[in-house]
């Protein structure tokens, strides 16, 4: 016996046919952790396969992002080495007083005797122009130049050692105002200049990190935008089946993640290669000044920071680019 189908039943059946199962329903929060991890593993493998399929575009993108991340890393590494160099330069505490060229030996000895009588001065060493000339001749490369000059142009020099290191700076300022003094030099001055230069380099590294980070963000974003445009038909079909933007965006986020990770590793490799290239010349230059200074590369903390920056920039760039592209496609 045939049963008559009522209009209400037909309506519900039509709605069931017209409403296909949602692809995103499989990724709902109610699903188990194992299924959720399986979806992400599948998306990660799909992202790697798509990056490998577009070899030229992927390699160019990795090189651009890697070099963008390598620049601030190199600046920070250079700042680290300069910090070690400045820390290794011990302050002698001596104040070099260059007397006026017209003073003779008697006048120079009188000035030295007056300084020895001061309570804030520990010792004074008098060096004649001949002593200074012999010291210059002992330095490599200066003997021929001094011979070509002929007459000795050096003045008398007084090396003043303060009784306390804290009094060195004010003592140097006071000695610079004496009538017989032509110029006063104290090593704290150039140490202060080096510290200011290091602070400037640190700020430059932070600014370069922001600028090159933005460039890396744009490169990753453009890569994801092109991938969305190439997969427009596939995305349209999946969305017709009920997939949400989050389901479509998942493999794109993994693409940005892998690009950021690979670019960060490439940046570290570039920094290590640059260090290896300059290590021997720097060692030879330091040895010429009887120093054992060696050039260091990026430490573990800097490498991990670079990796974290690459992952964040890649993931965030992919998220922004995919969201904007999907919104643009939905609007059209």
């Amino acid at each position: 016996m045939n049963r008559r189908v009522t209009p209400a039943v037909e309506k519900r059946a039509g709605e069931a046919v017209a409403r296909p199962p949602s692809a995103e329903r499989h990724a709902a929060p109610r699903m188990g952790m194992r299924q959720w991890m399986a979806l992400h593993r599948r998306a990660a493998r799909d992202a790697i396969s798509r990056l490998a399929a577009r070899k030229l575009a992927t390699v160019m993108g990795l090189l651009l992002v890697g070099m963008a991340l390598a620049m601030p890393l190199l600046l920070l590494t250079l700042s680290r080495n300069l910090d070690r160099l400045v820390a290794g330069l011990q302050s002698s505490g001596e104040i070099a007083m260059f007397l006026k060229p017209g003073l003779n030996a008697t006048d120079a000895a009188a000035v030295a005797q007056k300084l020895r009588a001061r309570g804030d001065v520990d010792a004074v060493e008098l060096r004649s122009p001949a002593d200074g000339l012999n010291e210059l001749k002992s330095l490599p490369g200066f003997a021929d130049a001094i011979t070509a000059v002929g007459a000795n142009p050096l003045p008398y020099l007084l090396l003043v050692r303060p009784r306390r290191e804290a009094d060195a700076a004010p003592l140097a300022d006071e000695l610079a105002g004496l009538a017989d003094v032509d110029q006063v030099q104290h090593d704290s001055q150039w140490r202060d200049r080096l510290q200011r230069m290091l602070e400037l380099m640190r700020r430059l590294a932070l600014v370069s990190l922001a600028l090159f980070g933005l460039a890396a963000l744009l490169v990753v974003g453009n890569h994801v935008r092109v991938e969305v445009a190439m997969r427009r038909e596939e995305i349209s079909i999946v969305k017709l089946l009920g997939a949400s933007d989050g389901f479509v965006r998942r493999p794109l986020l993994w693409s940005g993640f892998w690009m950021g990770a690979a670019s960060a590793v490439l940046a570290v490799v570039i920094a290590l290669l640059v260090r290896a290239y300059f290590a021997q010349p720097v060692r030879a230059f330091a040895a010429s000044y009887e120093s054992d200074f060696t050039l260091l590369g990026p430490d573990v903390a800097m490498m991990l920071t670079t990796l974290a920056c690459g992952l964040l920039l890649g993931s965030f760039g992919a998220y922004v680019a995919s969201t904007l592209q999907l919104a643009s496609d939905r609007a059209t």
Side-chain angles (χ1 to χ4, degrees), residues 86 169 187-198:
V86 173
D187 55 4
S188 64
Q189 298 174 350
W190 59 263
R191 287 173 67 91
D192 292 340
R193 295 190 186 100
L194 281 177
Q195 291 293 343
R196 296 190 188 99
M197 185 180 69
L198 289 177

Side-chain angles (χ1 to χ4, degrees), residues 275-297:
R275 184 264 171 192
Y277 181 74
F278 284 100
Q280 180 58 34
V282 170
R283 189 183 301 111
F285 181 77
S288 65
Y289 286 90
E290 299 181 354
S291 172
D292 57 352
F293 179 81
T294 56
L295 192 65
L296 296 181

Side-chain angles (χ1 to χ4, degrees), residues 32 37 61 72 94 139 146 150 166 170 184 206 231 239 243 261 279 290 309 328:
M37 293 294 294
E94 290 183 341
L139 298 177
I146 292 174
V184 172
L206 293 177
R231 300 173 57 184
K239 290 181 72 67
E290 299 181 354
C309 290
S328 176

Side-chain angles (χ1 to χ4, degrees), residues 95 97 115 118 121 160 170-179 181 184:
I95 301 173
M97 291 178 53
L115 292 178
R118 293 177 60 105
V121 174
V160 181
L171 179 60
D173 295 336
E174 183 179 352
L175 297 179
L178 297 180
V181 177
V184 172

Side-chain angles (χ1 to χ4, degrees), residues 77-281:
T77 305
L78 178 60
S79 176
R80 178 193 178 201
N81 282 277
L82 290 178
D83 278 333
R84 292 177 53 247
L85 181 62
V86 173
L89 296 175
Q90 300 295 330
S91 176
S92 64
E94 290 183 341
I95 301 173
M97 291 178 53
F98 295 92
L99 301 182
K100 291 184 177 180
L103 269 69
N104 54 30
T106 303
D107 296 333
V111 174
Q113 189 62 31
K114 290 180 181 179
L115 292 178
R116 292 189 184 99
R118 293 177 60 105
D120 53 356
V121 174
D122 184 42
V124 177
E125 181 183 353
L126 175 61
R127 292 188 180 181
S128 65
D131 295 334
L133 191 64
N134 292 331
E135 184 177 352
L136 286 178
K137 286 182 178 180
S138 64
L139 298 177
F142 279 87
D144 295 338
I146 292 174
T147 303
V149 171
N152 189 350
L154 299 178
Y156 280 91
L157 172 66
L158 296 179
L159 297 178
V160 181
R161 182 179 298 276
R163 193 170 297 276
R164 295 187 307 173
E165 188 176 352
D167 298 334
L171 179 60
D173 295 336
E174 183 179 352
L175 297 179
L178 297 180
D180 297 329
V181 177
D182 184 36
Q183 186 180 3
V184 172
Q185 291 183 353
H186 184 231
D187 55 4
S188 64
Q189 298 174 350
W190 59 263
R191 287 173 67 91
D192 292 340
R193 295 190 186 100
L194 281 177
Q195 291 293 343
R196 296 190 188 99
M197 185 180 69
L198 289 177
E199 180 62 26
L200 179 62
M201 185 168 296
R202 294 188 193 98
R203 292 176 180 267
L204 180 62
L206 293 177
V207 172
S208 66
L209 178 61
L211 294 178
F212 286 110
L214 179 60
L217 195 69
L218 295 176
V219 171
V220 175
N222 182 70
H223 181 87
V224 173
R225 184 190 63 81
V226 172
E227 185 174 350
V228 173
M230 294 177 59
R231 300 173 57 184
R232 182 174 285 111
E233 294 183 0
E234 175 186 346
I235 293 174
S236 299
I237 295 174
V238 173
K239 290 181 72 67
L240 285 177
L241 295 176
S244 66
D245 288 347
F247 183 84
V248 176
R249 192 186 296 119
R250 186 179 293 117
L252 302 175
L253 293 179
W254 275 105
S255 295
F257 178 89
W258 292 126
M259 281 198 66
S263 300
V265 173
L266 180 61
V268 172
V269 171
I270 292 175
L272 293 177
L273 290 177
V274 170
R275 184 264 171 192
Y277 181 74
F278 284 100
Q280 180 58 34

Side-chain angles (χ1 to χ4, degrees), residues 66-80 205 208-209 212 264-272 297-299 301-307:
M67 288 186 291
L69 293 176
M71 289 303 298
L73 179 60
L74 288 173
L75 287 175
L76 290 174
T77 305
L78 178 60
S79 176
R80 178 193 178 201
S208 66
L209 178 61
F212 286 110
V265 173
L266 180 61
V268 172
V269 171
I270 292 175
L272 293 177
D299 56 10
M302 296 169 65
M303 294 180 185
L304 294 178
T305 302
T306 303
L307 180 61

